Amino acid sequence: MSLPKPTLLLTRPEAASRRFIGQLDQEIMVQVEVVISPLIRIACRTDPISFEGIRGLIFSSANGVLSAKSVTDRRDLPCFCVGPATTRAARQAGWTAHQAGQDADTLVAALCRDKPDAPLLHLRGEHGRGDVAQRLTERGLITREQVIYEQLAEPLTPEAQKALQGSGPVIAPLFSPRTAQLFAAQTPRRAVTVAALSAAVAQEVAGNASVRAHVAAQPDAQAMGQLVEKLLQSTLAG
């Protein structure tokens, strides 16, 4: 009797999950069952953005860029971004964007070192980590923040629940603490392998002793792809 294929369970929104699949080794992917079950739905707020006195913007996610793009035509302010994907999204949306770090900590350190013109405005989601605006302000770089999108919780799909209730191996890449929280709350006590973007993400699933979490070498999509391929290869090798 042949063993069941490993399941790659993707919990990001559909478009982001499809992009992630596209970067993986397709020779590996033909041996894997892929299940997409977004745990978060992005809902953009329509409130006007308050730009009064602002000299630059901070984006810590591509979702922030897309939400800002939908509510303002202003593109005259420089942007400081976390990670290459967010920086790329901001440039594609028409902003002059600079990558200022790989995560909140390195962004804060870089901005405090480079001291761009302030005040700055951090455009972010409802659920965020890092206290970017507060930390920058405390260090003398005045920064405001505005929540411009919500991350609404979604239940696991029946297909995802079936995979998690079965006996086959499941590998789940998790890209944010919020997603990890939602995943942990819905995951049965059975062996699941998690590829975590960061230690903060891994921490959110640490309470489930059946979950084996591995942290990417860098908090970016490329490192996550490399980690997922490694975990899939290991699983397929038995």
Side-chain angles (χ1 to χ4, degrees):
M1 181 180 297
S2 62
L3 295 175
K5 287 184 176 182
T7 296
L8 180 63
L9 176 54
L10 299 170
T11 58
R12 301 178 88 188
E14 179 88 17
S17 291
R18 295 290 179 193
R19 286 195 301 271
F20 186 70
I21 293 170
Q23 81 176 58
L24 299 176
D25 187 329
Q26 296 307 298
E27 291 186 6
I28 297 175
M29 295 307 295
V30 296
Q31 304 174 69
V32 175
E33 295 288 348
V34 176
V35 174
I36 298 177
S37 177
L39 288 175
I40 288 176
R41 177 169 58 85
I42 302 300
C44 301
R45 292 187 176 181
T46 58
D47 305 332
I49 296 174
S50 177
F51 290 107
E52 186 176 358
I54 295 301
R55 306 294 298 277
L57 304 176
I58 297 173
F59 289 118
S60 47
S61 74
N63 289 323
V65 173
L66 296 177
S67 298
K69 178 184 175 182
S70 71
V71 295
T72 181
D73 293 328
R74 286 195 61 173
R75 300 292 187 272
D76 57 307
L77 295 171
C79 299
F80 306 98
C81 303
V82 171
T86 303
T87 307
R88 183 166 55 251
R91 289 172 180 164
Q92 290 173 347
W95 277 286
T96 300
H98 312 276
Q99 182 175 333
Q102 290 282 7
D103 54 22
D105 291 342
T106 52
L107 176 128
V108 168
L111 292 179
C112 288
R113 180 191 67 235
D114 297 340
K115 293 182 171 52
D117 291 339
L120 302 173
L121 176 63
H122 182 198
L123 299 173
R124 66 175 187 85
E126 180 181 20
H127 299 276
R129 294 288 184 98
D131 299 319
V132 169
Q134 178 181 337
R135 292 163 66 190
L136 287 172
T137 298
E138 288 173 349
R139 289 162 174 78
L141 197 63
I142 303 302
T143 304
R144 302 204 310 259
E145 64 179 9
Q146 183 174 339
V147 173
I148 61 171
Y149 67 93
E150 299 173 10
Q151 301 122 303
L152 304 178
E154 296 283 323
L156 287 167
T157 64
E159 188 179 10
Q161 293 176 26
K162 181 180 178 181
L164 288 167
Q165 291 164 2
S167 58
V170 175
I171 296 172
L174 298 176
F175 285 79
S176 73
R178 168 74 168 157
T179 303
Q181 288 175 354
L182 297 172
F183 181 78
Q186 299 184 62
T187 302
R189 296 273 171 170
R190 57 91 86 195
V192 177
T193 300
V194 162
L197 181 72
S198 66
V201 173
Q203 182 62 36
E204 296 298 337
V205 297
N208 187 336
S210 300
V211 173
R212 300 183 300 275
H214 304 259
V215 179
Q218 297 289 334
D220 59 39
Q222 181 178 357
M224 279 289 280
Q226 292 170 347
L227 175 58
V228 168
E229 287 178 353
K230 179 180 176 181
L231 294 173
L232 287 172
Q233 287 173 328
S234 177
T235 301
L236 290 165

